[in-house]
Amino acid sequence: MALVRERRQQQPLRLPLPPSSKQLLPCHPMPTTFRPDSPLIERLSDLDKLAVLGHGNGGTVYKVCHRNSSAVFALKVLRFDCDTIAIRHQAIREAEILKRVNSPHVVRCHGVFDGQSGDLCFATEYMDAGSLHDLLRIRRILPERVIAGVARRVLEGLKYLHGMRIVHRDLKPSNLLVNGRGEVKIADFGVSRVVAGDTCGGGGCCDSYVGTCAYMSPERFDPDTCGGRYDGFAGDVWSLGVVLLECHVGRYPLISAGQRADWATLMCAICFGGPPEVPETASEEFESFIRRCLEKDWRRRATVQELLSHPFVARGHSSAQDLLDNA
Ligand SMILES: Nc1ncnc2c1ncn2[C@@H]1O[C@H](COP(=O)(O)OP(=O)(O)OP(=O)(O)O)[C@@H](O)[C@H]1O
């Protein structure tokens, strides 16, 4: 079973940048997504690497420049060897999903390429303010009106994805990216799945320990409790609730400060713990919103549509830029 990863300390630009992209990226383009409003990236070798933006589970994300248009993108390079063939399947799934997505609330994919040695490369919209995880490391907590703005954008993104029958399954602060205008967008479909029906069956589309345990809903963490059948869309709502509560509390909110976030501790807190503690300083609207997201029984949990009209989101007025103020 998967252990919960400690939150990674980012290593901004400490790694040596790779040599010229010509040397590193002789590639055989896969069928690529082109959008009418995107610069055309014909070949991976048209992209020059400028900097390392971060590291994820299976690879590295670079800031790159498109030589012909000077447009800047992020390039996620996923590396594989013969032992990680299942992960490559997961990445190809990510590519298929990204190609179908076009929403202002979801990070855009401008092309998918085969790299060298079986690498898979995704050229995506560059989100220049980093992730919500990065912002929280600087600001620690966010005011409620800013959290409401984040909630609204992510809910709009989920509404779009769920409307396409796409369950994200790995919503967490590092998968919510922010641009220079303070707009939050959903990224990283590494464990997303396009669902055929409304619910997921055990052994079917929901391999429960994929994704980040800390943000996983109780029914995904312990599918036996609900007979292995549950609604994957409701799992995304739970994850969003945890993320937003974290923005208010200033740390991962489902265990006590100082407690080790190992698998057993998380299992107890998520599946068997009482209702999450919401700070005394929180407004009634925030508390009610969080309780609707973090309803343990997925059948009683709020839907994305319900949450979009919840007073916390509906009345919360903040500009996107507020997210970056004082950051
Ligand atoms: N489109 C982007 N624009 C700007 N920065 C990005 C972009 N995509 C990723 N990053 C940065 O690179 C980091 C690594 O991203 P990546 O998606 O590989 O992993 P992750 O989401 O942090 O972790 P995991 O692999 O567990 O999902 C992110 O945390 C973010 O800081």
Side-chain angles (χ1 to χ4, degrees), residues 124-163:
T124 68
E125 179 178 5
Y126 171 52
M127 299 294 284
D128 44 344
S131 69
L132 186 62
H133 170 77
D134 301 329
L135 278 179
L136 287 176
R137 283 178 58 207
I138 299 166
R139 294 187 66 168
R140 204 177 72 81
I141 59 169
L142 300 175
E144 278 191 16
R145 65 190 172 79
V146 175
I147 298 176
V150 171
R152 188 178 320 112
R153 287 187 168 275
V154 179
L155 285 168
E156 290 290 355
L158 287 179
K159 184 177 151 191
Y160 173 86
L161 293 173
H162 291 181

Short mmCIF file of all heavy atoms in Angstrom, two decimals, residues 124-163:
data_model
loop_
_atom_site.label_atom_id
_atom_site.label_comp_id
_atom_site.label_asym_id
_atom_site.label_seq_id
_atom_site.Cartn_x
_atom_site.Cartn_y
_atom_site.Cartn_z
N THR A 124 2.46 22.47 -21.72
CA THR A 124 1.22 23.03 -21.15
C THR A 124 1.36 24.52 -20.91
O THR A 124 2.47 25.08 -20.95
CB THR A 124 0.86 22.35 -19.80
OG1 THR A 124 1.84 22.72 -18.84
CG2 THR A 124 0.79 20.85 -19.92
N GLU A 125 0.24 25.12 -20.66
CA GLU A 125 0.19 26.53 -20.27
C GLU A 125 1.16 26.76 -19.10
O GLU A 125 1.19 25.96 -18.16
CB GLU A 125 -1.25 26.80 -19.83
CG GLU A 125 -1.58 28.16 -19.36
CD GLU A 125 -3.08 28.27 -19.01
OE1 GLU A 125 -3.79 27.24 -19.05
OE2 GLU A 125 -3.51 29.36 -18.69
N TYR A 126 1.93 27.83 -19.17
CA TYR A 126 2.87 28.15 -18.09
C TYR A 126 2.13 28.96 -17.04
O TYR A 126 1.55 30.02 -17.34
CB TYR A 126 4.05 28.93 -18.66
CG TYR A 126 4.97 29.50 -17.62
CD1 TYR A 126 5.51 28.70 -16.61
CD2 TYR A 126 5.32 30.85 -17.64
CE1 TYR A 126 6.36 29.22 -15.65
CE2 TYR A 126 6.18 31.39 -16.69
CZ TYR A 126 6.69 30.56 -15.69
OH TYR A 126 7.52 31.09 -14.74
N MET A 127 2.13 28.49 -15.81
CA MET A 127 1.44 29.18 -14.72
C MET A 127 2.51 29.84 -13.85
O MET A 127 3.15 29.19 -13.01
CB MET A 127 0.59 28.16 -13.94
CG MET A 127 -0.48 27.48 -14.79
SD MET A 127 -1.77 28.62 -15.36
CE MET A 127 -2.74 28.83 -13.87
N ASP A 128 2.71 31.13 -14.10
CA ASP A 128 3.91 31.77 -13.59
C ASP A 128 3.96 32.04 -12.10
O ASP A 128 5.02 32.40 -11.57
CB ASP A 128 4.21 33.06 -14.37
CG ASP A 128 3.00 33.92 -14.61
OD1 ASP A 128 1.87 33.43 -14.44
OD2 ASP A 128 3.18 35.10 -14.96
N ALA A 129 2.84 31.88 -11.38
CA ALA A 129 2.93 32.08 -9.92
C ALA A 129 3.06 30.74 -9.18
O ALA A 129 2.98 30.71 -7.95
CB ALA A 129 1.72 32.86 -9.43
N GLY A 130 3.26 29.66 -9.91
CA GLY A 130 3.50 28.36 -9.26
C GLY A 130 2.20 27.71 -8.79
O GLY A 130 1.14 27.94 -9.36
N SER A 131 2.31 26.94 -7.73
CA SER A 131 1.13 26.19 -7.27
C SER A 131 0.57 26.80 -5.99
O SER A 131 1.23 27.61 -5.31
CB SER A 131 1.52 24.73 -7.02
OG SER A 131 2.37 24.67 -5.89
N LEU A 132 -0.63 26.37 -5.65
CA LEU A 132 -1.23 26.80 -4.37
C LEU A 132 -0.35 26.32 -3.21
O LEU A 132 -0.22 27.01 -2.20
CB LEU A 132 -2.65 26.23 -4.26
CG LEU A 132 -3.47 26.68 -3.08
CD1 LEU A 132 -3.70 28.19 -3.09
CD2 LEU A 132 -4.81 25.94 -3.03
N HIS A 133 0.27 25.19 -3.40
CA HIS A 133 1.21 24.69 -2.37
C HIS A 133 2.35 25.69 -2.16
O HIS A 133 2.70 26.02 -1.02
CB HIS A 133 1.75 23.33 -2.84
CG HIS A 133 2.88 22.81 -2.02
ND1 HIS A 133 2.70 22.23 -0.78
CD2 HIS A 133 4.22 22.79 -2.24
CE1 HIS A 133 3.87 21.87 -0.29
NE2 HIS A 133 4.81 22.20 -1.16
N ASP A 134 2.88 26.21 -3.27
CA ASP A 134 3.97 27.21 -3.17
C ASP A 134 3.47 28.46 -2.44
O ASP A 134 4.15 29.01 -1.58
CB ASP A 134 4.46 27.64 -4.56
CG ASP A 134 4.98 26.47 -5.38
OD1 ASP A 134 5.49 25.52 -4.77
OD2 ASP A 134 4.84 26.50 -6.62
N LEU A 135 2.25 28.91 -2.81
CA LEU A 135 1.71 30.13 -2.20
C LEU A 135 1.48 29.95 -0.71
O LEU A 135 1.73 30.85 0.09
CB LEU A 135 0.39 30.51 -2.88
CG LEU A 135 0.50 31.27 -4.19
CD1 LEU A 135 -0.87 31.55 -4.75
CD2 LEU A 135 1.24 32.59 -3.98
N LEU A 136 0.98 28.76 -0.35
CA LEU A 136 0.71 28.52 1.07
C LEU A 136 2.00 28.46 1.88
O LEU A 136 2.02 28.82 3.06
CB LEU A 136 -0.09 27.22 1.26
CG LEU A 136 -1.56 27.30 0.84
CD1 LEU A 136 -2.23 25.93 0.96
CD2 LEU A 136 -2.33 28.33 1.67
N ARG A 137 3.07 28.04 1.24
CA ARG A 137 4.36 28.02 1.96
C ARG A 137 4.79 29.44 2.28
O ARG A 137 5.46 29.69 3.27
CB ARG A 137 5.41 27.30 1.13
CG ARG A 137 5.25 25.78 1.20
CD ARG A 137 6.26 25.07 0.35
NE ARG A 137 7.62 25.38 0.71
CZ ARG A 137 8.65 25.34 -0.13
NH1 ARG A 137 8.45 25.00 -1.37
NH2 ARG A 137 9.85 25.63 0.28
N ILE A 138 4.38 30.39 1.43
CA ILE A 138 4.77 31.78 1.68
C ILE A 138 3.76 32.46 2.60
O ILE A 138 4.11 33.10 3.59
CB ILE A 138 4.85 32.55 0.35
CG1 ILE A 138 5.92 31.93 -0.55
CG2 ILE A 138 5.15 34.03 0.58
CD1 ILE A 138 5.86 32.38 -2.00
N ARG A 139 2.48 32.30 2.29
CA ARG A 139 1.46 33.05 3.03
C ARG A 139 0.91 32.29 4.23
O ARG A 139 0.27 32.85 5.08
CB ARG A 139 0.29 33.41 2.09
CG ARG A 139 0.69 34.38 1.00
CD ARG A 139 -0.50 34.84 0.20
NE ARG A 139 -1.43 35.63 0.99
CZ ARG A 139 -2.43 36.33 0.47
NH1 ARG A 139 -2.62 36.32 -0.83
NH2 ARG A 139 -3.24 37.02 1.23
N ARG A 140 1.09 31.00 4.27
CA ARG A 140 0.59 30.07 5.29
C ARG A 140 -0.93 29.97 5.28
O ARG A 140 -1.47 28.90 5.06
CB ARG A 140 1.11 30.42 6.69
CG ARG A 140 1.11 29.20 7.61
CD ARG A 140 1.69 29.50 8.95
NE ARG A 140 0.80 30.32 9.78
CZ ARG A 140 -0.21 29.83 10.47
NH1 ARG A 140 -0.46 28.53 10.46
NH2 ARG A 140 -0.98 30.62 11.19
N ILE A 141 -1.64 31.08 5.55
CA ILE A 141 -3.10 31.00 5.49
C ILE A 141 -3.62 32.05 4.50
O ILE A 141 -2.93 33.01 4.18
CB ILE A 141 -3.76 31.23 6.87
CG1 ILE A 141 -3.37 32.59 7.42
CG2 ILE A 141 -3.41 30.12 7.83
CD1 ILE A 141 -4.18 32.99 8.63
N LEU A 142 -4.85 31.85 4.08
CA LEU A 142 -5.48 32.81 3.18
C LEU A 142 -6.75 33.33 3.83
O LEU A 142 -7.44 32.58 4.53
CB LEU A 142 -5.85 32.14 1.84
CG LEU A 142 -4.71 31.54 1.02
CD1 LEU A 142 -5.25 30.81 -0.20
CD2 LEU A 142 -3.73 32.64 0.59
N PRO A 143 -7.10 34.62 3.59
CA PRO A 143 -8.37 35.12 4.12
C PRO A 143 -9.54 34.41 3.43
O PRO A 143 -9.41 33.95 2.30
CB PRO A 143 -8.36 36.60 3.74
CG PRO A 143 -7.08 36.88 3.05
CD PRO A 143 -6.35 35.61 2.82
N GLU A 144 -10.67 34.36 4.14
CA GLU A 144 -11.82 33.62 3.61
C GLU A 144 -12.27 34.12 2.24
O GLU A 144 -12.66 33.33 1.38
CB GLU A 144 -13.00 33.69 4.58
CG GLU A 144 -12.88 32.68 5.68
CD GLU A 144 -14.16 32.56 6.50
OE1 GLU A 144 -15.24 33.01 6.04
OE2 GLU A 144 -14.05 32.00 7.61
N ARG A 145 -12.24 35.45 2.03
CA ARG A 145 -12.75 35.93 0.74
C ARG A 145 -11.85 35.43 -0.40
O ARG A 145 -12.32 35.17 -1.50
CB ARG A 145 -12.88 37.45 0.73
CG ARG A 145 -11.59 38.17 0.85
CD ARG A 145 -11.73 39.67 1.09
NE ARG A 145 -10.43 40.23 1.39
CZ ARG A 145 -9.53 40.52 0.48
NH1 ARG A 145 -9.82 40.36 -0.80
NH2 ARG A 145 -8.34 40.96 0.81
N VAL A 146 -10.55 35.26 -0.11
CA VAL A 146 -9.64 34.73 -1.13
C VAL A 146 -9.90 33.23 -1.31
O VAL A 146 -9.92 32.72 -2.43
CB VAL A 146 -8.17 35.01 -0.75
CG1 VAL A 146 -7.22 34.36 -1.74
CG2 VAL A 146 -7.93 36.52 -0.70
N ILE A 147 -10.12 32.54 -0.18
CA ILE A 147 -10.43 31.10 -0.27
C ILE A 147 -11.72 30.91 -1.09
O ILE A 147 -11.82 29.99 -1.91
CB ILE A 147 -10.59 30.48 1.14
CG1 ILE A 147 -9.28 30.60 1.93
CG2 ILE A 147 -11.01 29.01 1.03
CD1 ILE A 147 -9.36 30.11 3.37
N ALA A 148 -12.69 31.81 -0.90
CA ALA A 148 -13.94 31.70 -1.66
C ALA A 148 -13.67 31.84 -3.15
O ALA A 148 -14.27 31.13 -3.98
CB ALA A 148 -14.94 32.75 -1.19
N GLY A 149 -12.75 32.75 -3.51
CA GLY A 149 -12.40 32.92 -4.92
C GLY A 149 -11.74 31.67 -5.48
O GLY A 149 -12.04 31.22 -6.60
N VAL A 150 -10.84 31.07 -4.69
CA VAL A 150 -10.19 29.83 -5.12
C VAL A 150 -11.26 28.74 -5.29
O VAL A 150 -11.29 28.01 -6.28
CB VAL A 150 -9.12 29.38 -4.08
CG1 VAL A 150 -8.59 27.99 -4.40
CG2 VAL A 150 -7.99 30.40 -4.00
N ALA A 151 -12.15 28.66 -4.29
CA ALA A 151 -13.20 27.63 -4.34
C ALA A 151 -14.03 27.78 -5.61
O ALA A 151 -14.31 26.79 -6.30
CB ALA A 151 -14.10 27.76 -3.10
N ARG A 152 -14.40 29.03 -5.94
CA ARG A 152 -15.27 29.22 -7.10
C ARG A 152 -14.57 28.75 -8.38
O ARG A 152 -15.15 28.05 -9.21
CB ARG A 152 -15.69 30.68 -7.23
CG ARG A 152 -16.75 30.82 -8.32
CD ARG A 152 -17.30 32.22 -8.53
NE ARG A 152 -17.54 32.96 -7.32
CZ ARG A 152 -16.84 34.04 -6.95
NH1 ARG A 152 -15.86 34.47 -7.70
NH2 ARG A 152 -17.14 34.68 -5.85
N ARG A 153 -13.30 29.11 -8.52
CA ARG A 153 -12.58 28.73 -9.75
C ARG A 153 -12.41 27.22 -9.86
O ARG A 153 -12.59 26.63 -10.93
CB ARG A 153 -11.20 29.40 -9.77
CG ARG A 153 -11.32 30.86 -10.06
CD ARG A 153 -9.99 31.54 -10.27
NE ARG A 153 -10.27 32.85 -10.82
CZ ARG A 153 -10.45 33.08 -12.11
NH1 ARG A 153 -10.35 32.10 -12.98
NH2 ARG A 153 -10.74 34.28 -12.53
N VAL A 154 -12.05 26.59 -8.74
CA VAL A 154 -11.84 25.14 -8.80
C VAL A 154 -13.18 24.43 -9.04
O VAL A 154 -13.25 23.47 -9.81
CB VAL A 154 -11.14 24.64 -7.52
CG1 VAL A 154 -10.96 23.12 -7.57
CG2 VAL A 154 -9.78 25.32 -7.35
N LEU A 155 -14.23 24.95 -8.41
CA LEU A 155 -15.55 24.33 -8.64
C LEU A 155 -15.96 24.47 -10.10
O LEU A 155 -16.52 23.55 -10.70
CB LEU A 155 -16.60 24.97 -7.73
CG LEU A 155 -16.52 24.52 -6.25
CD1 LEU A 155 -17.39 25.42 -5.37
CD2 LEU A 155 -16.96 23.06 -6.10
N GLU A 156 -15.67 25.64 -10.70
CA GLU A 156 -15.99 25.81 -12.13
C GLU A 156 -15.20 24.80 -12.98
O GLU A 156 -15.71 24.22 -13.93
CB GLU A 156 -15.69 27.23 -12.61
CG GLU A 156 -16.62 28.30 -12.06
CD GLU A 156 -18.03 28.22 -12.65
OE1 GLU A 156 -18.28 27.40 -13.55
OE2 GLU A 156 -18.90 28.98 -12.16
N GLY A 157 -13.93 24.61 -12.61
CA GLY A 157 -13.10 23.63 -13.32
C GLY A 157 -13.66 22.22 -13.15
O GLY A 157 -13.73 21.45 -14.11
N LEU A 158 -14.06 21.89 -11.92
CA LEU A 158 -14.63 20.55 -11.69
C LEU A 158 -15.95 20.37 -12.41
O LEU A 158 -16.24 19.29 -12.94
CB LEU A 158 -14.82 20.31 -10.18
CG LEU A 158 -13.54 20.08 -9.36
CD1 LEU A 158 -13.89 19.88 -7.89
CD2 LEU A 158 -12.76 18.87 -9.88
N LYS A 159 -16.74 21.46 -12.45
CA LYS A 159 -18.02 21.36 -13.17
C LYS A 159 -17.76 21.00 -14.63
O LYS A 159 -18.42 20.14 -15.22
CB LYS A 159 -18.74 22.71 -13.07
CG LYS A 159 -20.12 22.73 -13.69
CD LYS A 159 -20.75 24.09 -13.44
CE LYS A 159 -21.72 24.46 -14.51
NZ LYS A 159 -22.13 25.86 -14.43
N TYR A 160 -16.75 21.64 -15.21
CA TYR A 160 -16.39 21.37 -16.60
C TYR A 160 -15.92 19.92 -16.76
O TYR A 160 -16.38 19.18 -17.63
CB TYR A 160 -15.31 22.35 -17.05
CG TYR A 160 -14.76 22.04 -18.41
CD1 TYR A 160 -15.39 22.51 -19.57
CD2 TYR A 160 -13.63 21.24 -18.56
CE1 TYR A 160 -14.89 22.18 -20.82
CE2 TYR A 160 -13.12 20.92 -19.80
CZ TYR A 160 -13.76 21.40 -20.93
OH TYR A 160 -13.27 21.07 -22.16
N LEU A 161 -14.98 19.52 -15.89
CA LEU A 161 -14.42 18.17 -16.02
C LEU A 161 -15.48 17.10 -15.77
O LEU A 161 -15.60 16.14 -16.54
CB LEU A 161 -13.26 17.98 -15.02
CG LEU A 161 -12.02 18.83 -15.28
CD1 LEU A 161 -11.03 18.67 -14.13
CD2 LEU A 161 -11.36 18.43 -16.60
N HIS A 162 -16.27 17.30 -14.72
CA HIS A 162 -17.28 16.30 -14.40
C HIS A 162 -18.32 16.23 -15.52
O HIS A 162 -18.85 15.17 -15.83
CB HIS A 162 -17.94 16.61 -13.05
CG HIS A 162 -17.01 16.39 -11.89
ND1 HIS A 162 -17.38 16.57 -10.57
CD2 HIS A 162 -15.70 16.00 -11.85
CE1 HIS A 162 -16.35 16.29 -9.77
NE2 HIS A 162 -15.32 15.96 -10.52
N GLY A 163 -18.57 17.39 -16.13
CA GLY A 163 -19.49 17.41 -17.29
C GLY A 163 -18.96 16.57 -18.43
O GLY A 163 -19.73 16.05 -19.25
#
